[in-house]
Amino acid sequence: MMLGPRELLALVMRLAYNRGLINIKGGNASIREGDGFWVTPSQLPKNMLKPDDMVYVRLNGEWKGRYNPSIEYIMHLMIYREIKNVKGVLHTHNPHTLALYESGLSINPAKYVEAYSIGDCVAVVPKLPAGSKELAENVVEALRKCRVAVLLGHGAVAVNQKDIFTALDALEALEDISKVELLKAVLNIKNYLKTT
C-alpha cells in the first residue's frame, strides 16, 4: 500500500528526530500536491505527528488545518513558487553541520561517495530571523544553485525533485560528512601540537 503525502511527512519527521537531526518540536517538512503543498504543523512533537495533523497550504498563501502551519511555511511556499519541479522540502537542525560551518569550515561533496544526494554543492545562507520573509528569500536564492543549503545559526534545508526521502538522505549525508570533517580538524590540531 502506497503512503500519501501526509503519512510520508509523519514518517520522515519521525526518522529525522530519531536520527538526531531535529529536537522534539523543531524542523519542518512539506510535500507538493495539487495547487499547493502539505506541511508539518507548528509546535507539535515531531516524533508523534499523525497524518491528520498536517496543514495544506495553497500557492496563494491560504492554508487550512486544525493546527497552524510551521513557522517556516513561507519559506516552503516561496520555494514551491520559485523553483520548478520541487516535490519535497525538508528543514532540519543538523548540530554537527552547524558546528562545522559556524567554525568557518565547510564540506566539498565531491570528496565523498555518500554525497550523491547532496549534489555538487552546498550553499550557505547568513543568519536571519526564523520564519522571516528575508530568510525565505535568501533560502530560495541559495537553492537555485544547490539542492542543499546551510542556514547559519539555524540548520539546513534540502529540496528534491523525486521524493522527501531523497531530501532526508541529503541532510543525513551532510551531517555524517560534517562529523568526519570536524573529527579530521581535531586530529589535525592534535597532530600539529605533537610536532611543535
Side-chain angles (χ1 to χ4, degrees):
M1 177 178 135
M2 281 188 62
L3 298 178
R6 293 180 294 169
E7 289 84 5
L8 290 172
L9 286 173
L11 177 57
V12 82
M13 294 309 284
R14 195 157 51 247
L15 292 170
Y17 174 76
N18 290 340
R19 190 71 165 80
L21 297 175
I22 56 172
N23 56 322
I24 195 75
K25 292 187 177 181
N28 41 78
S30 65
I31 294 176
R32 179 77 192 260
E33 185 178 65
D35 66 346
F37 57 94
W38 291 99
V39 68
T40 50
S42 178
Q43 290 300 303
L44 291 184
K46 297 305 188 286
N47 65 329
M48 298 172 63
L49 288 177
K50 298 178 183 68
D52 288 347
D53 297 333
M54 305 310 163
V55 182
Y56 191 74
V57 180
R58 297 189 184 280
L59 292 182
N60 64 8
E62 294 175 0
W63 57 269
K64 64 176 183 178
R66 56 182 179 164
Y67 300 106
N68 290 333
S70 164
I71 187 176
E72 300 292 3
Y73 88 93
I74 296 293
M75 178 178 71
H76 292 255
L77 176 63
M78 289 184 69
I79 289 169
Y80 289 117
R81 279 180 180 170
E82 301 292 331
I83 304 175
K84 289 185 179 181
N85 301 320
V86 170
K87 299 279 193 294
V89 179
L90 179 60
H91 168 46
T92 55
H93 297 154
N94 302 32
H96 294 91
T97 301
L98 283 177
L100 185 76
Y101 278 80
E102 294 282 347
S103 300
L105 303 172
S106 62
I107 72 160
N108 175 4
K111 288 170 51 180
Y112 292 91
V113 173
E114 65 269 35
Y116 63 90
S117 55
I118 295 173
D120 298 329
C121 61
V122 176
V124 179
V125 174
K127 187 171 182 179
L128 295 164
S132 68
K133 186 179 178 188
E134 187 182 8
L135 175 64
E137 289 170 344
N138 276 264
V139 169
V140 167
E141 286 310 306
L143 294 174
R144 287 188 199 281
K145 301 173 224 160
C146 306
R147 292 193 302 242
V148 174
V150 173
L151 285 53
L152 295 180
H154 192 158
V157 178
V159 296
N160 201 268
Q161 297 174 346
K162 292 180 183 176
D163 57 58
I164 195 70
F165 292 105
T166 309
L168 175 61
D169 188 68
L171 293 174
E172 285 186 307
L174 180 68
E175 183 70 356
D176 288 342
I177 293 167
S178 294
K179 289 178 190 174
V180 172
E181 290 293 333
L182 283 170
L183 184 57
K184 281 168 56 179
V186 169
L187 293 175
N188 285 338
I189 291 169
K190 283 186 176 178
N191 288 335
Y192 173 77
L193 292 175
K194 283 181 185 176
T195 60
T196 56

